[in-house]
Each structure stands twice: as C-alpha cells, then as structure tokens.
Amino acid sequence: MDDPQFLGGKIGSLPTQLGNLSNLQFFDLSFNGFKAGITLKEVFPLNLEIYPTCNPLISGGIIFNLLAQLGNLSNLKSLDLGYKNEYYLSCENLDWLSGLPLLTHLHLSWVNLSKAIHWQQAVNKMPSFIELLLRNTQLPPIINTTTSISVNFAVLDLSFNGLTSSIYPWLFNFSTNNLVHVDLSYNDLNGSIPATFRNMTSLTYVGLSWNQLQVLDNWLNLKKLSIPSNSMQGIVSENHLFGLSKLWYLDLSFNSFTFNISSKQVHMLKAEHILLASCKLGPRFPHWLQTQKKLVEDFDIFASGISDVIPIWFWNLTLGLGSLNFSNNHIRGTLPNLRSYPSSLTMDMSSNCFQGSIPQSLFNVAWLDLSNNMFRLNFFILHDYSSL
C-alpha cells in the first residue's frame, strides 16, 4: 500500500514507547497498510499471533498491534480486536485481561479463542465489563466452576460459537439486572427457552435464531425478538404476545408455529418488522394485523398456508414498506392499482393464485416477482418491453 495517507511498515515495528502511555484509553490503528508475515511471540507476552493468507497488506479493521505493548495500559477502557477479513488472530488465553482493570468494552469477534479453555473465569474477574463481543470465536465449552462472578454486562454477544445449553448456568449466574442485549444465535442450544430470560426486566433484545429451541413464551419489555430457524412448534395465541407493546421487530420464521389469534386482540402487537415465513397463519388472512399503525420495513409470510384474498385495509399499512413477501401461498384475487407503491419496495408475490391485469403503478417498485400466477398480460407491458 503506497498511499501516503496510510501508515506502513511491519507490525512489530510499532514504537515500544506505546507501553508507557499509562493514561491511554483508546487507540485505533484501523485502515492502514501494516505488513504481516512475522510472529509476535518475542514482543507479545499474550500468546497472540497473526497469520497472513494471500494478501500481504492488512487493509482494515486493525487494532491488533496495540496488544504487543499492552503492559502498562492500565487505564484502557475500550479494546477492539474484532476482525473479519484475510487475517487470523489467535489468543490462547484471556489471563491478560487482569492487567486492564478499567476495561468496559471488549470486542474479540472472529478471534480464535479455541485454546482459551478458561475464558469464562477470566471474564468473571472483570467487574468493569459493560460490553463483551465474542462472536464466532470458537469458544471452548463452559467448565463448571465455583469462581465468584462480579460482571454486570449490558451487551453480550456469544453467537456463532456452537455453544450448548450448558452456557445457561454461567449466563444466569452473574447479575442480569442490567442486561439489555444478548445474542446466542447460531449455536447448539436445545430444549425450552429458559424462563430466566423473562425475568430480565431490562432486556430489550434476545437473539436465539438457528438453534434447536422448542418453546415460545411471553417476553415483556422486549423490543426485538429474533428466533428463526429453530425446532419450535405449537400454538401462538394472544397470551404469548400479550404485553409486547414495545416490540418493533418480530422474527419467528421457519419454525412450526400455528397462529390462533383473535382479531379483537391485535392491540397487543405493533411491530414494524414482522417475519413469519413458514409459520401456519392460514387459511384466512391474518386479520389481527388490522390495527397495526404501519409496517415500516418488512412483512414476510412466505409459505404460511393462506388461501384467501388480501383485504383492502392491508394496503393502507404499506405506505413506507421496504420488503413484502407473500410468495408460495394460495392467495387469490387481484392486486389494487394504488396511486403509488413505495419506490424502494421489494415485492415477492410469486407462486400464488392472483389473476386479472397487473396494475401499472406496481412497476414503480424496486424489485418485483409475480411469477407463477394467473395474471393477464397488459398491452402497456408489451409496449414498454418493445421499446427496450
């Protein structure tokens, strides 16, 4: 990288005087052109190494090099080593965290922690932690321990790690009163969702997608619930969704839920993103949506067993819609010729039983799929295509 706007040189050539900056709280070396290809063991007491692949330059997302001189940075509050590119950062243990007593934010996502078998004990001793991001770090299984836990997380991301339900005792052993965001998606959790989650009054986001969980329960105070692609099944009634007036994002896609909600109970849910692909909603169109103020971003009822017409009131909810997926149902009738469909709308109405003419206003949308229906081909469509 010969651009004069970028720093260069070898990773190991950072000034050793950095270790004397005891008042340093944040240090960012991202988006530079440091060369890799050396092992840092001789200057790096933390057993960290950088392994280059095909590109001799580090092109972004780097704060790796700071660790080589972490010794005296006792006032450091935020450390970001998370990196997703061509370089691989490996850490054999997290014992070095004890030298950073004021650290509140730690981002190690995509760092290989597969050998850090005592990672949870090291984390347990960090009372200052507010945010811990260990996404896709190959975390070793939890080891049962009686070590006291003094952590008070607000944000915890352990997604993409293959963790089993053995994580629960550790997760629920520290103070959960301040936990706002927890992401356990893309793991190997199974069984019922622990009731402890419901008692976390500050929790606003829980990510449990792509596990093998089986039971849906009510979640008061949640703003975002994302649990697609689990093994969940059963009846979803108004009791499950009651009290979710704060919920703005609901994703139950690709589970085996059957919805049985009275249209008189729709006031309980006012989400702006509703993703229910492959859930059983039909055969009637879900009239419990009628009192929604609007659907701002996403509405997905792919393959939901609907054999009905789309009621006129539904189109009043789509004024600011970004994505609409009604595909693979048996929805019949015609599509309305609205004054204007949102120009940013992506719309998949394929594999249904729509018929009649295609509204001209529909062609203002950003992306449209009407295949496998019974529409009548319009003259204006032929004319438009002949001019291409």
Side-chain angles (χ1 to χ4, degrees):
M1 185 177 295
D2 297 324
D3 194 323
Q5 299 181 26
F6 294 92
L7 296 176
K10 290 188 176 181
I11 290 174
S13 63
L14 287 176
T16 57
Q17 291 86 349
L18 284 175
N20 298 324
L21 300 177
S22 58
N23 292 322
L24 188 67
Q25 295 184 6
F26 182 81
F27 186 40
D28 189 345
L29 289 175
S30 59
F31 299 100
N32 283 291
F34 293 106
K35 295 181 180 179
I38 64 171
T39 300
L40 304 179
K41 285 186 176 180
E42 57 274 7
V43 292
F44 195 31
L46 308 181
N47 296 321
L48 288 171
E49 296 182 16
I50 295 177
Y51 298 93
T53 54
C54 57
N55 192 330
L57 295 178
I58 298 174
S59 58
I62 288 194
I63 314 177
F64 298 154
N65 315 306
L66 172 61
L67 291 181
Q69 294 91 13
L70 269 180
N72 296 323
L73 302 179
S74 57
N75 286 329
L76 195 69
K77 293 183 178 180
S78 179
L79 180 59
D80 186 348
L81 303 178
Y83 191 63
K84 187 180 180 182
N85 212 308
E86 297 149 326
Y87 288 82
Y88 201 60
L89 187 63
S90 176
C91 184
E92 295 182 358
N93 65 73
L94 297 183
D95 296 343
W96 47 270
L97 285 175
S98 60
L100 304 173
L102 300 184
L103 196 66
T104 59
H105 297 76
L106 179 63
H107 183 6
L108 295 180
S109 296
W110 294 286
V111 174
N112 184 354
L113 299 179
S114 60
K115 295 182 180 180
I117 59 175
H118 298 292
W119 65 271
Q120 75 274 23
Q121 286 94 326
V123 169
N124 292 348
K125 300 174 183 178
M126 298 297 294
S128 59
F129 267 179
I130 296 175
E131 181 179 75
L132 178 63
L133 307 181
L134 300 179
R135 180 185 181 92
N136 195 17
T137 53
Q138 303 180 49
L139 286 176
I142 284 286
I143 298 177
N144 293 328
T145 176
T146 57
T147 304
S148 60
I149 299 178
S150 55
V151 186
N152 203 11
F153 291 119
V155 177
L156 179 64
D157 187 346
L158 301 178
S159 58
F160 291 86
N161 277 298
L163 297 171
T164 67
S165 298
S166 62
I167 190 69
Y168 291 145
W170 176 79
L171 180 64
F172 299 137
N173 195 20
F174 57 77
S175 175
T176 57
N177 294 330
N178 294 324
L179 195 60
V180 175
H181 176 114
V182 58
D183 194 344
L184 297 173
S185 57
Y186 291 86
N187 280 295
D188 292 322
L189 308 178
N190 54 48
S192 302
I193 299 176
T196 308
F197 279 121
R198 287 185 295 150
N199 300 327
M200 298 180 183
T201 56
S202 60
L203 192 63
T204 61
Y205 171 78
V206 58
L208 296 170
S209 60
W210 292 93
N211 284 284
Q212 293 88 45
L213 298 169
Q214 298 173 354
V215 179
L216 177 67
D217 218 330
N218 12 10
W219 299 71
L220 297 177
N221 299 316
L222 272 186
K223 295 182 180 179
K224 182 173 181 178
L225 177 60
S226 178
I227 50 175
S229 302
N230 277 282
S231 302
M232 307 183 83
Q233 56 186 332
I235 305 295
V236 176
S237 68
E238 53 265 23
N239 291 331
H240 290 104
L241 302 179
F242 182 77
L244 294 179
S245 59
K246 299 179 182 179
L247 196 71
W248 63 273
Y249 186 101
L250 177 66
D251 189 354
L252 305 180
S253 303
F254 302 105
N255 286 290
S256 299
F257 291 126
T258 298
F259 277 68
N260 183 15
I261 298 177
S262 169
S263 61
K264 296 180 180 179
Q265 301 290 337
V266 291
H267 66 277
M268 72 189 75
L269 184 63
K270 297 180 181 179
E272 298 174 355
H273 306 248
I274 299 180
L275 309 176
L276 304 175
S278 292
C279 293
K280 177 66 174 177
L281 301 177
R284 297 289 306 278
F285 192 88
H287 284 266
W288 49 270
L289 291 169
Q290 191 167 359
T291 59
Q292 288 278 124
K293 292 182 178 179
K294 57 182 176 179
L295 296 170
V296 174
E297 286 296 334
D298 309 301
F299 186 60
D300 186 350
I301 52 173
F302 161 85
S304 56
I306 295 177
S307 300
D308 200 357
V309 296
I310 301 176
I312 295 299
W313 56 259
F314 173 79
W315 299 105
N316 295 328
L317 304 177
T318 64
L319 297 179
L321 196 63
S323 175
L324 179 65
N325 188 353
F326 279 4
S327 63
N328 287 272
N329 284 285
H330 294 87
I331 302 175
R332 60 187 187 275
T334 60
L335 293 177
N337 190 18
L338 301 181
R339 177 180 301 177
S340 177
Y341 285 87
S343 59
S344 60
L345 177 63
T346 63
M347 192 172 182
D348 190 348
M349 312 295 279
S350 63
S351 300
N352 278 288
C353 302
F354 291 112
Q355 54 189 340
S357 61
I358 301 175
Q360 185 171 3
S361 59
L362 200 56
F363 291 92
N364 294 324
V365 304
W367 186 89
L368 178 66
D369 188 348
L370 300 176
S371 60
N372 296 314
N373 281 284
M374 297 180 288
F375 287 112
R376 208 170 49 241
L377 191 60
N378 299 30
F379 173 78
F380 74 83
I381 297 178
L382 292 174
H383 176 74
D384 286 346
Y385 274 93
S386 66
S387 65
L388 294 178

mmCIF file of all heavy atoms in Angstrom, residues 137-169:
data_model
loop_
_atom_site.group_PDB
_atom_site.id
_atom_site.type_symbol
_atom_site.label_atom_id
_atom_site.label_comp_id
_atom_site.label_asym_id
_atom_site.label_seq_id
_atom_site.Cartn_x
_atom_site.Cartn_y
_atom_site.Cartn_z
ATOM 1 N N THR A 137 -15.895 -16.984 17.731
ATOM 2 C CA THR A 137 -14.541 -17.084 18.282
ATOM 3 C C THR A 137 -14.151 -18.526 18.617
ATOM 4 O O THR A 137 -13.109 -18.744 19.224
ATOM 5 C CB THR A 137 -14.418 -16.226 19.561
ATOM 6 O OG1 THR A 137 -15.460 -16.580 20.469
ATOM 7 C CG2 THR A 137 -14.510 -14.753 19.228
ATOM 8 N N GLN A 138 -14.996 -19.494 18.255
ATOM 9 C CA GLN A 138 -14.720 -20.907 18.532
ATOM 10 C C GLN A 138 -14.511 -21.141 20.024
ATOM 11 O O GLN A 138 -13.577 -21.834 20.438
ATOM 12 C CB GLN A 138 -13.504 -21.388 17.736
ATOM 13 C CG GLN A 138 -13.643 -21.197 16.232
ATOM 14 C CD GLN A 138 -12.425 -21.675 15.465
ATOM 15 O OE1 GLN A 138 -11.939 -22.779 15.684
ATOM 16 N NE2 GLN A 138 -11.936 -20.836 14.565
ATOM 17 N N LEU A 139 -15.374 -20.570 20.825
ATOM 18 C CA LEU A 139 -15.237 -20.683 22.273
ATOM 19 C C LEU A 139 -15.266 -22.140 22.729
ATOM 20 O O LEU A 139 -16.114 -22.916 22.296
ATOM 21 C CB LEU A 139 -16.381 -19.924 22.962
ATOM 22 C CG LEU A 139 -16.308 -18.402 22.957
ATOM 23 C CD1 LEU A 139 -17.568 -17.819 23.584
ATOM 24 C CD2 LEU A 139 -15.073 -17.910 23.699
ATOM 25 N N PRO A 140 -14.358 -22.527 23.622
ATOM 26 C CA PRO A 140 -14.406 -23.867 24.201
ATOM 27 C C PRO A 140 -15.659 -24.015 25.073
ATOM 28 O O PRO A 140 -16.242 -23.008 25.511
ATOM 29 C CB PRO A 140 -13.133 -23.947 25.051
ATOM 30 C CG PRO A 140 -12.257 -22.848 24.543
ATOM 31 C CD PRO A 140 -13.188 -21.772 24.081
ATOM 32 N N PRO A 141 -16.071 -25.243 25.340
ATOM 33 C CA PRO A 141 -17.237 -25.449 26.208
ATOM 34 C C PRO A 141 -17.019 -24.863 27.594
ATOM 35 O O PRO A 141 -15.889 -24.749 28.076
ATOM 36 C CB PRO A 141 -17.363 -26.981 26.265
ATOM 37 C CG PRO A 141 -16.632 -27.481 25.065
ATOM 38 C CD PRO A 141 -15.523 -26.506 24.821
ATOM 39 N N ILE A 142 -18.106 -24.497 28.216
ATOM 40 C CA ILE A 142 -18.064 -23.958 29.571
ATOM 41 C C ILE A 142 -17.576 -25.037 30.545
ATOM 42 O O ILE A 142 -17.982 -26.198 30.466
ATOM 43 C CB ILE A 142 -19.463 -23.477 29.999
ATOM 44 C CG1 ILE A 142 -19.769 -22.138 29.313
ATOM 45 C CG2 ILE A 142 -19.570 -23.320 31.493
ATOM 46 C CD1 ILE A 142 -19.015 -20.963 29.880
ATOM 47 N N ILE A 143 -16.693 -24.637 31.444
ATOM 48 C CA ILE A 143 -16.224 -25.531 32.503
ATOM 49 C C ILE A 143 -16.905 -25.130 33.804
ATOM 50 O O ILE A 143 -16.864 -23.960 34.202
ATOM 51 C CB ILE A 143 -14.696 -25.440 32.670
ATOM 52 C CG1 ILE A 143 -13.996 -25.874 31.370
ATOM 53 C CG2 ILE A 143 -14.233 -26.288 33.845
ATOM 54 C CD1 ILE A 143 -12.486 -25.735 31.424
ATOM 55 N N ASN A 144 -17.566 -26.070 34.448
ATOM 56 C CA ASN A 144 -18.230 -25.772 35.719
ATOM 57 C C ASN A 144 -17.205 -25.286 36.730
ATOM 58 O O ASN A 144 -16.161 -25.893 36.922
ATOM 59 C CB ASN A 144 -18.951 -27.009 36.260
ATOM 60 C CG ASN A 144 -20.123 -27.404 35.383
ATOM 61 O OD1 ASN A 144 -20.755 -26.551 34.774
ATOM 62 N ND2 ASN A 144 -20.418 -28.696 35.312
ATOM 63 N N THR A 145 -17.523 -24.171 37.356
ATOM 64 C CA THR A 145 -16.591 -23.582 38.308
ATOM 65 C C THR A 145 -17.356 -22.880 39.413
ATOM 66 O O THR A 145 -18.495 -22.453 39.219
ATOM 67 C CB THR A 145 -15.659 -22.570 37.608
ATOM 68 O OG1 THR A 145 -14.823 -21.955 38.574
ATOM 69 C CG2 THR A 145 -16.456 -21.507 36.874
ATOM 70 N N THR A 146 -16.726 -22.765 40.554
ATOM 71 C CA THR A 146 -17.351 -22.068 41.683
ATOM 72 C C THR A 146 -16.807 -20.653 41.833
ATOM 73 O O THR A 146 -17.061 -19.977 42.815
ATOM 74 C CB THR A 146 -17.085 -22.844 42.994
ATOM 75 O OG1 THR A 146 -15.674 -22.984 43.171
ATOM 76 C CG2 THR A 146 -17.741 -24.218 42.944
ATOM 77 N N THR A 147 -16.032 -20.223 40.826
ATOM 78 C CA THR A 147 -15.461 -18.881 40.877
ATOM 79 C C THR A 147 -16.558 -17.835 40.993
ATOM 80 O O THR A 147 -17.554 -17.880 40.278
ATOM 81 C CB THR A 147 -14.634 -18.613 39.599
ATOM 82 O OG1 THR A 147 -13.637 -19.619 39.466
ATOM 83 C CG2 THR A 147 -13.976 -17.245 39.668
ATOM 84 N N SER A 148 -16.361 -16.878 41.892
ATOM 85 C CA SER A 148 -17.361 -15.824 42.054
ATOM 86 C C SER A 148 -17.394 -14.947 40.819
ATOM 87 O O SER A 148 -16.377 -14.719 40.160
ATOM 88 C CB SER A 148 -17.033 -14.979 43.283
ATOM 89 O OG SER A 148 -15.757 -14.383 43.145
ATOM 90 N N ILE A 149 -18.580 -14.457 40.497
ATOM 91 C CA ILE A 149 -18.777 -13.665 39.297
ATOM 92 C C ILE A 149 -19.212 -12.264 39.683
ATOM 93 O O ILE A 149 -20.176 -12.089 40.427
ATOM 94 C CB ILE A 149 -19.838 -14.320 38.385
ATOM 95 C CG1 ILE A 149 -19.368 -15.726 37.959
ATOM 96 C CG2 ILE A 149 -20.096 -13.463 37.159
ATOM 97 C CD1 ILE A 149 -20.363 -16.467 37.108
ATOM 98 N N SER A 150 -18.482 -11.268 39.182
ATOM 99 C CA SER A 150 -18.788 -9.891 39.549
ATOM 100 C C SER A 150 -19.117 -9.037 38.332
ATOM 101 O O SER A 150 -19.148 -7.819 38.415
ATOM 102 C CB SER A 150 -17.590 -9.278 40.289
ATOM 103 O OG SER A 150 -16.407 -9.387 39.511
ATOM 104 N N VAL A 151 -19.379 -9.686 37.192
ATOM 105 C CA VAL A 151 -19.634 -8.961 35.953
ATOM 106 C C VAL A 151 -21.077 -8.461 35.922
ATOM 107 O O VAL A 151 -21.981 -9.096 36.442
ATOM 108 C CB VAL A 151 -19.369 -9.863 34.731
ATOM 109 C CG1 VAL A 151 -19.479 -9.071 33.438
ATOM 110 C CG2 VAL A 151 -17.984 -10.487 34.833
ATOM 111 N N ASN A 152 -21.257 -7.303 35.288
ATOM 112 C CA ASN A 152 -22.588 -6.707 35.194
ATOM 113 C C ASN A 152 -22.825 -6.242 33.763
ATOM 114 O O ASN A 152 -22.943 -5.060 33.491
ATOM 115 C CB ASN A 152 -22.699 -5.545 36.177
ATOM 116 C CG ASN A 152 -24.134 -5.241 36.539
ATOM 117 O OD1 ASN A 152 -25.038 -6.004 36.224
ATOM 118 N ND2 ASN A 152 -24.344 -4.128 37.185
ATOM 119 N N PHE A 153 -22.898 -7.195 32.827
ATOM 120 C CA PHE A 153 -22.998 -6.884 31.410
ATOM 121 C C PHE A 153 -24.250 -6.082 31.077
ATOM 122 O O PHE A 153 -25.303 -6.252 31.697
ATOM 123 C CB PHE A 153 -23.050 -8.162 30.578
ATOM 124 C CG PHE A 153 -21.769 -8.943 30.550
ATOM 125 C CD1 PHE A 153 -21.733 -10.232 31.047
ATOM 126 C CD2 PHE A 153 -20.617 -8.399 30.019
ATOM 127 C CE1 PHE A 153 -20.570 -10.969 31.017
ATOM 128 C CE2 PHE A 153 -19.446 -9.132 29.989
ATOM 129 C CZ PHE A 153 -19.423 -10.418 30.490
ATOM 130 N N ALA A 154 -24.122 -5.277 30.024
ATOM 131 C CA ALA A 154 -25.287 -4.691 29.373
ATOM 132 C C ALA A 154 -25.469 -5.320 27.993
ATOM 133 O O ALA A 154 -26.588 -5.541 27.546
ATOM 134 C CB ALA A 154 -25.149 -3.182 29.244
ATOM 135 N N VAL A 155 -24.340 -5.631 27.328
ATOM 136 C CA VAL A 155 -24.367 -6.222 25.987
ATOM 137 C C VAL A 155 -23.467 -7.453 25.972
ATOM 138 O O VAL A 155 -22.306 -7.385 26.378
ATOM 139 C CB VAL A 155 -23.884 -5.215 24.925
ATOM 140 C CG1 VAL A 155 -23.848 -5.872 23.544
ATOM 141 C CG2 VAL A 155 -24.777 -3.981 24.902
ATOM 142 N N LEU A 156 -24.016 -8.569 25.497
ATOM 143 C CA LEU A 156 -23.262 -9.826 25.438
ATOM 144 C C LEU A 156 -23.578 -10.531 24.127
ATOM 145 O O LEU A 156 -24.738 -10.834 23.835
ATOM 146 C CB LEU A 156 -23.632 -10.725 26.618
ATOM 147 C CG LEU A 156 -22.934 -12.091 26.686
ATOM 148 C CD1 LEU A 156 -21.430 -11.910 26.874
ATOM 149 C CD2 LEU A 156 -23.514 -12.932 27.816
ATOM 150 N N ASP A 157 -22.553 -10.789 23.322
ATOM 151 C CA ASP A 157 -22.715 -11.477 22.044
ATOM 152 C C ASP A 157 -21.819 -12.706 22.028
ATOM 153 O O ASP A 157 -20.590 -12.600 21.979
ATOM 154 C CB ASP A 157 -22.349 -10.541 20.887
ATOM 155 C CG ASP A 157 -22.669 -11.152 19.520
ATOM 156 O OD1 ASP A 157 -22.919 -12.371 19.451
ATOM 157 O OD2 ASP A 157 -22.662 -10.405 18.526
ATOM 158 N N LEU A 158 -22.444 -13.889 22.087
ATOM 159 C CA LEU A 158 -21.725 -15.165 22.026
ATOM 160 C C LEU A 158 -22.198 -15.979 20.825
ATOM 161 O O LEU A 158 -22.100 -17.207 20.816
ATOM 162 C CB LEU A 158 -21.966 -15.965 23.321
ATOM 163 C CG LEU A 158 -21.543 -15.298 24.630
ATOM 164 C CD1 LEU A 158 -21.892 -16.195 25.820
ATOM 165 C CD2 LEU A 158 -20.058 -14.978 24.640
ATOM 166 N N SER A 159 -22.684 -15.324 19.803
ATOM 167 C CA SER A 159 -23.251 -16.017 18.648
ATOM 168 C C SER A 159 -22.170 -16.705 17.816
ATOM 169 O O SER A 159 -20.986 -16.392 17.910
ATOM 170 C CB SER A 159 -24.027 -15.022 17.780
ATOM 171 O OG SER A 159 -23.193 -13.969 17.345
ATOM 172 N N PHE A 160 -22.602 -17.683 17.003
ATOM 173 C CA PHE A 160 -21.721 -18.408 16.080
ATOM 174 C C PHE A 160 -20.576 -19.108 16.807
ATOM 175 O O PHE A 160 -19.421 -19.028 16.405
ATOM 176 C CB PHE A 160 -21.146 -17.474 15.014
ATOM 177 C CG PHE A 160 -22.147 -16.962 14.017
ATOM 178 C CD1 PHE A 160 -22.897 -15.831 14.288
ATOM 179 C CD2 PHE A 160 -22.342 -17.614 12.808
ATOM 180 C CE1 PHE A 160 -23.815 -15.346 13.384
ATOM 181 C CE2 PHE A 160 -23.257 -17.143 11.886
ATOM 182 C CZ PHE A 160 -24.000 -16.012 12.177
ATOM 183 N N ASN A 161 -20.875 -19.816 17.866
ATOM 184 C CA ASN A 161 -19.820 -20.478 18.633
ATOM 185 C C ASN A 161 -20.093 -21.962 18.900
ATOM 186 O O ASN A 161 -19.257 -22.618 19.515
ATOM 187 C CB ASN A 161 -19.604 -19.757 19.964
ATOM 188 C CG ASN A 161 -18.689 -18.558 19.834
ATOM 189 O OD1 ASN A 161 -17.526 -18.680 19.468
ATOM 190 N ND2 ASN A 161 -19.226 -17.378 20.104
ATOM 191 N N GLY A 162 -21.212 -22.481 18.479
ATOM 192 C CA GLY A 162 -21.505 -23.892 18.731
ATOM 193 C C GLY A 162 -21.727 -24.203 20.193
ATOM 194 O O GLY A 162 -21.543 -25.347 20.625
ATOM 195 N N LEU A 163 -22.107 -23.214 20.981
ATOM 196 C CA LEU A 163 -22.337 -23.430 22.405
ATOM 197 C C LEU A 163 -23.602 -24.241 22.636
ATOM 198 O O LEU A 163 -24.574 -24.133 21.895
ATOM 199 C CB LEU A 163 -22.454 -22.082 23.132
ATOM 200 C CG LEU A 163 -21.215 -21.182 23.102
ATOM 201 C CD1 LEU A 163 -21.541 -19.812 23.669
ATOM 202 C CD2 LEU A 163 -20.068 -21.822 23.873
ATOM 203 N N THR A 164 -23.589 -25.052 23.686
ATOM 204 C CA THR A 164 -24.764 -25.834 24.056
ATOM 205 C C THR A 164 -25.482 -25.163 25.225
ATOM 206 O O THR A 164 -25.063 -24.113 25.717
ATOM 207 C CB THR A 164 -24.358 -27.260 24.451
ATOM 208 O OG1 THR A 164 -23.596 -27.207 25.667
ATOM 209 C CG2 THR A 164 -23.514 -27.910 23.354
ATOM 210 N N SER A 165 -26.537 -25.796 25.668
ATOM 211 C CA SER A 165 -27.320 -25.243 26.770
ATOM 212 C C SER A 165 -26.541 -25.208 28.079
ATOM 213 O O SER A 165 -27.016 -24.633 29.069
ATOM 214 C CB SER A 165 -28.614 -26.048 26.947
ATOM 215 O OG SER A 165 -29.402 -25.964 25.772
ATOM 216 N N SER A 166 -25.340 -25.775 28.102
ATOM 217 C CA SER A 166 -24.509 -25.708 29.302
ATOM 218 C C SER A 166 -24.044 -24.279 29.589
ATOM 219 O O SER A 166 -23.510 -23.993 30.659
ATOM 220 C CB SER A 166 -23.293 -26.631 29.154
ATOM 221 O OG SER A 166 -22.468 -26.217 28.066
ATOM 222 N N ILE A 167 -24.276 -23.363 28.638
ATOM 223 C CA ILE A 167 -23.908 -21.968 28.844
ATOM 224 C C ILE A 167 -24.848 -21.295 29.842
ATOM 225 O O ILE A 167 -24.489 -20.299 30.474
ATOM 226 C CB ILE A 167 -23.931 -21.205 27.495
ATOM 227 C CG1 ILE A 167 -23.322 -19.800 27.624
ATOM 228 C CG2 ILE A 167 -25.347 -21.094 26.952
ATOM 229 C CD1 ILE A 167 -21.868 -19.768 27.868
ATOM 230 N N TYR A 168 -26.050 -21.847 30.014
ATOM 231 C CA TYR A 168 -27.058 -21.162 30.824
ATOM 232 C C TYR A 168 -26.631 -20.923 32.275
ATOM 233 O O TYR A 168 -26.816 -19.808 32.786
ATOM 234 C CB TYR A 168 -28.379 -21.926 30.797
ATOM 235 C CG TYR A 168 -29.083 -21.909 29.465
ATOM 236 C CD1 TYR A 168 -29.806 -23.019 29.023
ATOM 237 C CD2 TYR A 168 -29.044 -20.793 28.640
ATOM 238 C CE1 TYR A 168 -30.470 -23.021 27.805
ATOM 239 C CE2 TYR A 168 -29.689 -20.778 27.415
ATOM 240 C CZ TYR A 168 -30.406 -21.904 27.008
ATOM 241 O OH TYR A 168 -31.051 -21.882 25.801
ATOM 242 N N PRO A 169 -26.095 -21.916 33.007
ATOM 243 C CA PRO A 169 -25.708 -21.651 34.399
ATOM 244 C C PRO A 169 -24.725 -20.495 34.537
ATOM 245 O O PRO A 169 -24.859 -19.672 35.448
ATOM 246 C CB PRO A 169 -25.084 -22.979 34.843
ATOM 247 C CG PRO A 169 -25.743 -24.005 33.980
ATOM 248 C CD PRO A 169 -25.905 -23.337 32.655
#
